[in-house]
Amino acid sequence: MALLKKNLWSIFYILTTCLTLYFAYVSYAQWQRLFGNAQNSQENTLRLIANSTQALYRTNEIMLDILGHRFLEDASYQDNQSAMDILDAALEGSPAIISIALVDPQGNMLFATNNLDVSNFPNLLEQPQSRESFIEVMNSDTMVFGRTYFFEPFQDWIVPIRKAIRNPDGSVYRVITAALRLDDSFGHLVKNIDQENRYLSLIVRDDMYVQYASDSQGNEFSRYQQLLPTNKQQAMITAIERLHGNIQEDAFWRLDQPLSFVYTSEKSPQLISFQNNTVYKLRFMLMTPLDALWKDFAKLFSAHFLIFLSVVGVLYALFRIIATAEAKRNADLLHQATHDQLTGLLNRSYLNKNVHYWIHPQASPFGLLYLDLDNFKNINDSFGHHLGDMLLQELAKRLHAVSPKETALLRHGGDEFILLSSIHDDSELVDLANTLIETASKPYLINSMRLNVGASVGIAKYPEHGECIDDLLRAADIAMYESKRLKNSVHLFQDTMQENYLRNVNIEQALRGAIENHELHMVYQPQVSTDGSFYGVEALIRWTNPRLGSIPPDAFIPIAEESGQMPTLGRYIIETTFADIQQIQHSLGISFSTSINLSARQLLEPDFATYFINKMQQENIEGVWLTLEITESLLIEDTSSVLPLLHAIKNKGVQLSMDDFGTGYSSLSMLRMLPIDELKIDKSFIDAALTSKNAQQMAQSIVTIGKNLEMDVVAEGIETKEQLEMLTRFGCDRFQGYYFARPMDKDALIRYVKGTFFP
């Protein structure tokens, strides 16, 4: 059966090849026929235009010759009013002729018909447009065409024809010239012959200036002031040389039969036919854009192509029916076994059966991305599993659309998806994961309901994070849960994640009893003014657990926020700080500024502003001595929610500081909008300022921004005298860091201030 199928398709391919070759031959023959007919038609039209022009202007030459001899025989003819009236009446029957004039050999106009005043007419020898042709007519016995140009007295484009009137001794007595309207002379003749306007017509002089162009409308009159493009001239010469070989210039004009060639130097290639007029040295040219021929050919080609497709389609359908009946049945069974019924994606069964394609001794490295939806359970609980299933179906389509080639996208179960990709570079894997997150996080419109979910992604790499599929899945799952801690994020698996995960669980559990067990305490780091005086302190929380040891704030504050413990912890910080500061100020006998850090969750509590203001009043603390430090990222992400709270607190005299400025994406317009009093330069810039010019410039720019916006600027993390001197030079208002003092408890702070500033 397999051999029969193979032979069937071989026959189909042979028949299809034969039909294709035959179709190509017929198409080529059709094009040659169409092109040949177009060329013959164009050349016949060209002959007709050339012959008609020859006859018409031969008549004009005879007329000029007769008039010229009349003037020669009777010098008073022009003063004979009756004779002039007869001449004017005769000209009325020739609409192409605007006027006939008599010119002396020096190029001066002596008189013109229709009682025209020639005193203002230009001298033909002094006018660049007419000089060359006037000199030519003085040396010629035949009528000569002048260059087409705009004649100011008539305010029109004219074609001058001139004939020399000679004395019996051969000297020129006068030159009789007629001004022809462009459209009523060449234009009228061409349009009568080419009534359908099928061609672009050009009549070119022997000096390669254009005498007439059928498309001379609007700005196209400028072509009469320019030579025919050099590449087009060269194309004509090449066409003649191809047919006649190299010829001399005088023989060039004796070629009076049409000659055609394809010109490709335009945006649209053209079929050009040209024919010389050996008497008046004019070259008649007709041009047809090949696009027009291609359109005609496309119609014929389409008809034949449809027939070709129909024949091939019928053959294909017949062969397909025979060859695929059994294959379809097998494919359906295989698809059901290896694909998820809800989303149509690959399933775990496919992964288990085909993992050997990815993992084997010679396998290339690859990445495994584990995606899990955030808050999907809320969708099922709130709207039902049917709506959740529809969301998963839409998600599957989205993920499939953005998955790179050579990847396997699977639904692992529930709202979890796996993507196996040949990509193994860390940055490329993270970029892909961010694309998946962005795609999954776009709103879903299902049954007229707008639903929103997020996504978290964990990444594992083969063979770095596991040499079997189970190890890779476990590593990606751990990385994914690290991402779910932050929501809508991506993490690449690291060996420390397992330890960090267990440590975070321990921190969360220990933190729940930290306040009751008196494990938390506040420390204070002094801030010093530019003149070296004591300005105030920043309050910082510290935690020491008997089992876990000393845990830094950046380790337990995020866990407190995620686990919902931040409100309790935040109030502990505020209340403890207020109590300590009261004691410190009473002991020192001075008031000083105290900066308190606020977390995002703490500030966004519904009653935070009310609580904070009430606590200030209870502890009898004036707002002018308090500064709240808020992170830059919080202000950027939740400006609309935060702004009213900031104003409420600000109205009580509390100062507001933007902490870690420069590490986020604040705009100057946002800084002007927010009621910020102080900018704190992030320690990372200060650490690098002495060795990195970029960091130094960044620090200096922050100071400049603060000063321009009338804000104080605080530099934190000062550890050396050089840093202090540099930032003092930049214009910082206050300083904080180990160079002055480490964070200390309230008793140590009292001793430090007394010993350092009030000895």
Side-chain angles (χ1 to χ4, degrees):
M1 186 66 182
L3 180 62
L4 178 61
K5 289 181 180 179
K6 181 178 179 180
N7 291 337
L8 280 173
W9 284 115
S10 297
I11 295 172
F12 171 78
Y13 292 137
I14 292 172
L15 289 175
T16 302
T17 301
C18 293
L19 288 173
T20 302
L21 293 174
Y22 178 75
F23 172 75
Y25 169 77
V26 171
S27 299
Y28 177 78
Q30 288 286 356
W31 167 252
Q32 291 296 322
R33 182 183 62 80
L34 184 66
F35 184 88
N37 290 343
Q39 180 175 324
N40 290 336
S41 176
Q42 183 167 286
E43 290 182 356
N44 290 335
T45 303
L46 181 65
R47 288 191 185 93
L48 186 57
I49 291 175
N51 294 337
S52 299
T53 303
Q54 169 79 11
L56 175 63
Y57 289 101
R58 180 60 183 160
T59 301
N60 288 337
E61 182 177 2
I62 293 172
M63 178 192 70
L64 293 181
D65 200 45
I66 292 172
L67 290 175
H69 282 85
R70 188 63 182 268
F71 284 122
L72 182 63
E73 294 168 0
D74 184 3
S76 64
Y77 185 83
Q78 67 192 65
D79 299 321
N80 186 329
Q81 185 60 45
S82 176
M84 288 296 99
D85 290 342
I86 294 172
L87 178 57
D88 288 341
L91 291 179
E92 290 179 1
S94 301
I97 300 178
I98 302 175
S99 177
I100 295 178
L102 200 64
V103 186
D104 66 18
Q106 289 73 41
N108 300 307
M109 293 280 188
L110 301 178
F111 91 101
T113 58
N114 298 325
N115 295 319
L116 296 175
D117 181 9
V118 299
S119 61
N120 294 324
F121 281 23
N123 183 288
L124 298 185
L125 276 174
E126 297 174 357
Q127 185 176 231
Q129 300 95 320
S130 57
R131 174 178 174 79
E132 297 298 329
S133 58
F134 188 83
I135 293 174
E136 181 181 355
V137 77
M138 296 284 290
N139 299 311
S140 175
D141 293 328
T142 61
M143 184 179 73
V144 173
F145 282 88
R147 273 175 50 189
T148 299
Y149 70 100
F150 187 81
F151 194 65
E152 292 287 347
F154 295 159
Q155 287 297 299
D156 202 355
W157 288 83
I158 65 168
V159 178
I161 53 176
R162 302 187 182 100
K163 183 72 184 290
I165 306 170
R166 299 186 181 276
N167 293 311
D169 61 356
S171 62
V172 177
Y173 169 67
R174 294 286 186 269
V175 173
I176 187 167
T177 180
L180 308 179
R181 290 186 181 88
L182 184 61
D183 286 336
D184 292 334
S185 55
F186 285 114
H188 181 71
L189 187 147
V190 170
K191 290 172 184 175
N192 278 345
I193 295 175
D194 184 20
Q195 295 181 359
E196 296 179 1
N197 197 27
R198 295 166 56 194
Y199 309 109
L200 170 61
S201 304
L202 282 182
I203 300 177
V204 183
R205 298 164 44 78
D206 62 337
D207 58 5
M208 290 302 169
Y209 278 92
V210 177
Q211 193 80 52
Y212 169 77
S214 62
D215 64 340
S216 55
Q217 303 292 330
N219 294 330
E220 287 299 322
F221 283 113
S222 61
R223 70 169 64 241
Y224 297 121
Q225 301 169 359
Q226 303 169 359
L227 291 171
L228 188 71
T230 304
N231 51 3
K232 191 166 286 188
Q233 297 181 38
Q234 185 59 44
M236 287 189 291
I237 294 173
T238 301
I240 293 173
E241 291 176 348
R242 188 181 297 115
L243 187 64
H244 299 283
N246 294 327
I247 59 175
Q248 299 297 322
E249 184 176 354
D250 57 344
F252 180 87
W253 287 100
R254 291 198 296 271
L255 300 174
D256 57 357
Q257 292 301 314
L259 184 61
S260 298
F261 64 96
V262 174
Y263 181 66
T264 58
S265 295
E266 300 286 349
K267 291 182 179 179
S268 175
Q270 298 173 328
L271 171 63
I272 297 181
S273 300
F274 69 93
Q275 179 177 341
N276 295 329
N277 182 291
T278 58
V279 177
Y280 298 119
K281 290 191 176 181
L282 296 175
R283 180 174 295 112
F284 298 88
M285 301 173 64
L286 293 183
M287 288 165 277
T288 301
L290 285 185
D291 288 348
L293 298 183
W294 280 115
K295 288 179 181 178
D296 293 338
F297 174 71
K299 296 177 182 178
L300 293 173
F301 180 86
S302 298
H304 289 93
F305 187 68
L306 288 175
I307 296 173
F308 169 78
L309 287 182
S310 299
V311 173
V312 173
V314 170
L315 284 174
Y316 178 81
L318 292 174
F319 280 84
R320 186 69 176 174
I321 290 172
I322 298 172
T324 62
E326 185 64 20
K328 184 178 183 303
R329 187 176 71 86
N330 293 334
D332 290 341
L333 294 174
L334 180 62
H335 186 275
Q336 292 176 12
T338 58
H339 287 72
D340 176 60
Q341 293 184 359
L342 177 64
T343 63
L345 298 180
L346 301 172
N347 58 18
R348 278 183 290 185
S349 176
Y350 172 87
L351 181 61
N352 293 330
K353 292 179 180 179
N354 295 275
V355 70
H356 59 275
Y357 289 115
W358 294 83
I359 299 177
H360 54 83
Q362 290 79 36
S364 300
F366 65 88
L368 187 150
L369 290 81
Y370 199 125
L371 181 144
D372 182 81
L373 294 182
D374 299 331
N375 303 320
F376 180 70
K377 183 176 182 297
N378 295 337
I379 300 293
N380 282 334
D381 294 344
S382 302
F383 305 106
H385 288 272
H386 176 67
L387 208 65
D389 288 346
M390 295 176 67
L391 187 148
L392 291 175
Q393 290 173 333
E394 174 63 23
L395 172 62
K397 294 177 183 177
R398 294 185 184 183
L399 296 179
H400 184 270
V402 299
S403 296
K405 295 180 179 178
E406 299 182 1
T407 62
L409 177 63
L410 303 90
R411 183 187 179 201
H412 195 244
D415 59 343
E416 298 175 347
F417 295 81
I418 291 174
L419 189 144
L420 299 174
S421 173
S422 57
I423 298 172
H424 56 87
D425 178 74
D426 289 359
S427 60
E428 292 183 20
L429 285 170
V430 171
D431 289 342
L432 174 57
N434 285 324
T435 300
L436 298 177
I437 292 172
E438 180 183 356
T439 301
S441 301
K442 292 178 180 178
Y444 297 81
L445 187 63
I446 299 175
N447 290 350
S448 302
M449 298 183 64
R450 187 182 178 88
L451 304 177
N452 291 278
V453 295
S456 299
V457 176
I459 303 174
K461 295 168 57 177
Y462 171 85
E464 182 178 340
H465 301 141
E467 296 185 357
C468 68
I469 192 63
D470 290 336
D471 291 344
L472 288 173
L473 288 173
R474 186 181 303 109
D477 189 38
I478 292 173
M480 183 266 292
Y481 275 101
E482 186 74 15
S483 299
K484 288 187 75 69
R485 188 172 61 84
L486 301 176
K487 304 293 185 184
N488 266 50
S489 63
V490 55
H491 281 79
L492 189 68
F493 177 78
Q494 298 177 6
D495 293 335
T496 57
M497 283 184 177
Q498 288 177 304
E499 299 175 4
N500 291 339
Y501 177 76
L502 294 175
R503 177 174 173 79
N504 289 341
V505 171
N506 291 331
I507 289 175
E508 179 183 342
Q509 296 301 319
L511 186 60
R512 296 189 184 277
I515 296 177
E516 290 80 3
N517 297 331
H518 305 288
E519 298 173 6
L520 298 169
H521 65 282
M522 300 301 299
V523 295
Y524 305 92
Q525 186 170 33
Q527 291 184 350
V528 179
S529 299
T530 306
D531 59 3
S533 62
F534 176 67
Y535 177 82
V537 296
E538 178 182 2
L540 303 167
I541 190 168
R542 294 293 185 262
W543 177 26
T544 302
N545 180 267
R547 184 168 56 90
L548 301 177
S550 179
I551 306 168
D554 58 359
F556 67 83
I557 292 295
I559 295 175
E561 290 183 333
E562 185 179 354
S563 61
Q565 300 183 64
M566 198 61 224
T568 302
L569 182 60
R571 297 192 180 207
Y572 169 83
I573 293 172
I574 292 171
E575 293 169 8
T576 304
T577 300
F578 281 179
D580 287 349
I581 292 303
Q582 284 282 47
Q583 296 179 28
I584 297 170
Q585 290 183 350
H586 181 268
S587 177
L588 293 174
I590 61 170
S591 295
F592 54 84
S593 176
T594 301
S595 297
I596 301 176
N597 291 280
L598 293 182
S599 75
R601 295 290 178 88
Q602 189 176 2
L603 185 61
L604 293 176
E605 291 176 36
D607 61 343
F608 175 77
T610 302
Y611 159 78
F612 187 81
I613 294 170
N614 289 340
K615 186 57 64 175
M616 283 173 50
Q617 294 170 348
Q618 291 172 11
E619 298 293 337
N620 196 27
I621 294 180
E622 297 182 35
V624 70
W625 299 112
L626 287 177
T627 300
L628 293 185
E629 295 189 8
I630 307 164
T631 61
E632 185 178 0
S633 59
L634 170 64
L635 295 177
I636 295 170
E637 295 172 2
D638 297 290
T639 302
S640 60
S641 302
V642 170
L643 196 57
L645 301 174
L646 297 182
H647 281 294
I649 296 173
K650 177 75 172 174
N651 290 337
K652 296 300 179 179
V654 178
Q655 303 293 297
L656 298 175
S657 174
M658 181 178 286
D659 195 14
D660 300 333
F661 183 74
T663 59
Y665 305 94
S666 299
S667 64
L668 293 180
S669 61
M670 191 185 76
L671 281 179
R672 288 195 298 268
M673 176 183 67
L674 295 168
I676 300 297
D677 303 288
E678 176 184 281
L679 295 181
K680 293 194 75 173
I681 304 176
D682 185 66
K683 184 178 183 297
S684 61
F685 295 118
I686 296 174
D687 289 342
L690 294 177
T691 57
S692 169
K693 189 170 183 61
N694 288 338
Q696 184 179 127
Q697 291 175 344
M698 187 66 182
Q700 189 170 12
S701 298
I702 293 173
V703 175
T704 303
I705 291 171
K707 295 303 180 183
N708 289 338
L709 296 177
E710 298 181 354
M711 299 176 184
D712 290 342
V713 181
V714 179
E716 59 181 353
I718 300 295
E719 297 181 356
T720 66
K721 181 179 179 181
E722 290 77 12
Q723 291 174 333
L724 175 63
E725 291 174 347
M726 177 185 66
L727 290 161
T728 301
R729 189 170 60 255
F730 289 168
C732 279
D733 299 287
R734 290 183 294 281
F735 309 95
Q736 174 184 341
Y738 288 179
Y739 180 76
F740 301 100
R742 293 176 177 271
M744 59 192 77
D745 61 27
K746 61 182 179 180
D747 295 329
L749 178 65
I750 293 172
R751 292 193 299 272
Y752 170 78
V753 174
K754 285 182 177 180
T756 305
F757 300 99
F758 306 105

